[in-house]
Structure formats: C-alpha cells, structure tokens
Amino acid sequence: MNRKIDGTFFEFHHHNTPEGKYWNPQLDEFKAEEWRQKVREISAVGMDYIVVMATALYEKCYFKSSVFPFADIPCTDPIEELLSEADNCNVKVFLGNGFYGDWRKANYNITSKEVIDRSFRAMEELTALYGYHKSFYGWYFPDETCIILNFSKEFMKYVNLCSARCHELTPDKKTLIAPYGTNLVLASNYFIRSLSELDVDFIAYQDEVGVKKTKVDRTRRLFEKLRKAHDKAGRSKLWADIELFDFEGMVYKSALIPADFERVKKQIENVAPYVDKILGYQYLGLMNPADSSAFAGHENSKEFYEKYKNYISQK
C-alpha cells in the first residue's frame, strides 16, 4: 500500500477570508449532521487524526464560553458533534487553543498575557465540556511563528507555558505544534538543543510547498535533515504537515484550490521515509466525495478525492 496521509487539519471557518472563498459559505451553514458527515468521510480515507485549527475566531467561540460570544452558526455545538462522531470512528482529535487574539498577530499573541490568559480560560472550559470524550487526544497551539534558523526564545517560552498548563488540566493529553519556516531551519547544535528543551509531544513541520516557499524536490532533503536533528536531540517523534492546496491567484490573497495530485503524491513520498505521521492541510474544502451530503469546497475537490483514494488503495 502507498503511504497514506494520517490526519488532517480541520476548521469551522477558514480564518483567511479570500483563501476560504470556496468553502466558508458552506461551512457557515453546516448543521450537526454535516459536521458528523465530514468526520466520517475523513475516517473513510484512513485518516486517524483531526487537528482543530481554532476553537475561537474573530472574537467568537465555537462552544459556549465566558471568553467570547458563541459564533453565529446554525449548529449549536459543533465541537461536541465532531468529538462524538470521532468517538464512533476511532479518530483522535487535537483541539486548538486559539485564536484568542488576532490570528494575523502571532508574535503578539505568544507574548501577550491577556491573550494567553484568555486561551487558558477557554482551555479550562473546553476540558470541562469535552474532557470525557475518548477521541479528545490532545491540544494544538495554532499561533505559529516562523523558524528563522532556530525556534525563537519567545516561541519556546510560549509553547512550554502552554504545555505546562495542558499537563495541569489534562495530564493524559498530548500536545502538537506545526511550525513554518521549515526551509530556513539550520540544524545546528543550538537548534538540536532547542528541540530537547521544547516541551511538546509532536512537531509537524509545514512543507511549505503550497505557499511556494519550498520546491517539491527540496522537501526530501529538508526532512532528512530534520530527522537527523531529531535523532541527535533524542526526540523520536517527527511529523510532517504537507500542503494539499494551490492558490487560484496570488499567494495568501486568493482562494485555495486543490493542488495537482501528482505534486501531492511527490510531497507524500518525499517525507514518508523520515516521519512518523503525515498530516495534510487539509481535507475540508479540498477533498469531497462526489456524492457527499456535506459538500464544501472547490469543484475539483471531487477529482482530488478520487485520485487520493485510488492512490492509497494501490499496493
């Protein structure tokens, strides 16, 4: 069997409005059954992990919270629907602890006591509401900052602070980050030491192919370098976050559309020898069965879905 994508990022609304052109309108109308259907679809193509990007966005929460008002959507509890269906499908879910500040200001969010305190209060409420679900596997910290040669001291402090709070609230849950700047990593002794000091269970490095920061042919060398650095740091778990999209026009300023599947196949094959798990950004909007009762995304998402399904079925 060809190496599959092990999990996907997941969102209730895409944060970048131009990028979400082809699926935000549909997601905004989803009721309970549509959210459950998406979980079933994700499980049906062998994806075992769902990473919820954000439990809040634009000062609205996707659960009943004292932090922000509830989002203006028809589903009264989308997180409950997601986790409940994930329980049925044996899918593991990471809940994001953002965006409790402006998603465009990650460097501010990771140093602001006000933003961090809001996210911690939300985490307490999320734990109280959903902690009983067997599918609730861990936490994801979405306020990512760029790795410029190394992880910044501010980012390391933020991650370790968040992880410490997660350990207090939910000692059995895992933690995940998915940093960008993968093409800039300098696998120096300093970077290796930083890896050993970073209190997080899984690091899923973005391959940055969709945002055109990295050429497909270069990703194999990048992840080989990361594998060596992780081994030297005694950090065995190395994940990849591959980008399944292309842009309809300008990068970051136009709609996301499904990438050419031959490109994505190369992305999978390039990282597979070096990583434990492969996450994809993302199923929602970019993959749809032709007969989906919860269709959301570009028309080409049907073709992409079929090509991926055929690919993973091949020996």
Side-chain angles (χ1 to χ4, degrees):
M1 301 284 284
N2 286 322
R3 179 70 181 267
K4 68 183 178 72
I5 298 172
D6 299 289
T8 176
F9 286 83
F10 192 99
E11 58 195 9
F12 300 112
H13 183 95
H14 189 67
H15 53 286
N16 183 314
T17 300
E19 290 181 358
K21 169 184 173 182
Y22 288 112
W23 63 83
N24 272 344
Q26 293 100 324
L27 298 188
D28 290 346
E29 297 301 320
F30 271 16
K31 299 181 177 64
E33 179 53 27
E34 282 80 19
W35 290 120
R36 286 178 173 268
Q37 177 62 28
K38 281 304 169 198
V39 176
R40 291 193 292 270
E41 290 176 13
I42 288 166
S43 175
V45 288
M47 296 185 188
D48 304 314
Y49 296 87
I50 286 175
V51 182
V52 176
M53 276 286 291
T55 48
L57 184 64
Y58 295 121
E59 298 188 355
K60 297 288 179 67
C61 283
Y62 294 106
F63 63 102
K64 297 299 191 297
S65 172
S66 65
V67 181
F68 293 136
F70 186 70
D72 184 19
I73 55 175
C75 182
T76 58
D77 197 343
I79 296 177
E80 172 62 30
E81 303 301 339
L82 184 155
L83 289 168
S84 179
E85 195 60 45
D87 288 345
N88 297 334
C89 296
N90 294 316
V91 170
K92 299 179 178 70
V93 178
F94 292 89
L95 290 181
N97 79 331
F99 291 108
Y100 292 90
D102 187 334
W103 67 268
R104 293 161 293 194
K105 299 178 180 179
N107 288 323
Y108 173 77
N109 294 342
I110 67 172
T111 57
S112 166
K113 184 178 185 303
E114 179 183 3
V115 174
I116 293 171
D117 284 350
R118 279 202 297 263
S119 74
F120 283 4
R121 181 149 51 103
M123 287 168 64
E124 292 170 7
E125 294 176 348
L126 287 162
T127 300
L129 287 168
Y130 309 114
Y132 70 94
H133 282 284
K134 70 174 184 177
S135 59
F136 181 10
Y137 182 70
W139 298 97
Y140 165 60
F141 311 145
D143 281 305
E144 305 287 4
T145 60
C146 186
I147 307 172
I148 303 177
L149 304 182
N150 299 292
F151 295 105
S152 71
K153 292 180 180 178
E154 293 79 10
F155 183 65
M156 289 190 62
K157 181 180 178 181
Y158 163 75
V159 170
N160 289 349
L161 183 67
C162 289
S163 288
R165 187 65 185 124
C166 291
H167 298 329
E168 291 172 358
L169 284 172
T170 53
D172 61 327
K173 307 302 182 196
K174 303 296 185 182
T175 54
L176 167 72
I177 58 173
Y180 66 101
T182 307
N183 65 315
L184 302 175
V185 169
L186 178 65
S188 62
N189 289 334
Y190 182 86
F191 179 77
I192 292 166
R193 186 167 66 252
S194 297
L195 282 175
S196 64
E197 294 172 356
L198 201 57
D199 181 18
V200 68
D201 292 297
F202 308 117
I203 306 176
Y205 298 87
Q206 298 177 28
D207 75 350
E208 302 182 306
V209 172
V211 295
K212 305 187 188 306
K213 293 179 181 177
T214 305
K215 299 286 188 182
V216 177
D217 293 341
R218 190 167 175 241
T219 57
R220 182 179 292 272
R221 295 194 298 276
L222 289 175
F223 279 85
E224 180 182 20
K225 178 172 65 175
L226 288 168
R227 177 75 271 168
K228 290 177 179 177
H230 271 241
D231 289 345
K232 288 179 181 178
R235 179 180 284 278
S236 61
K237 301 299 182 185
L238 170 60
W239 290 15
D241 170 11
I242 67 169
E243 296 174 343
L244 310 181
F245 58 83
D246 206 343
F247 284 89
E248 194 170 47
M250 291 180 63
V251 174
Y252 299 123
K253 295 183 179 180
S254 66
L256 298 181
I257 58 176
D260 177 77
F261 185 73
E262 288 302 310
R263 190 201 84 185
V264 172
K265 186 168 75 169
K266 290 178 183 176
Q267 289 172 255
I268 296 170
E269 292 168 350
N270 283 353
V271 303
Y274 308 108
V275 302
D276 302 282
K277 300 292 181 184
I278 300 173
L279 301 178
Y281 191 91
Q282 63 178 8
Y283 182 95
L284 278 177
L286 301 175
M287 298 176 73
N288 280 288
D291 60 350
S292 175
S293 60
F295 192 96
H298 193 275
E299 186 69 14
N300 291 354
S301 61
K302 294 184 288 189
E303 180 183 1
F304 187 98
Y305 174 91
E306 285 302 319
K307 287 184 175 181
Y308 176 72
K309 190 175 178 182
N310 290 336
Y311 170 74
I312 59 172
S313 68
Q314 295 168 8
K315 294 184 178 180

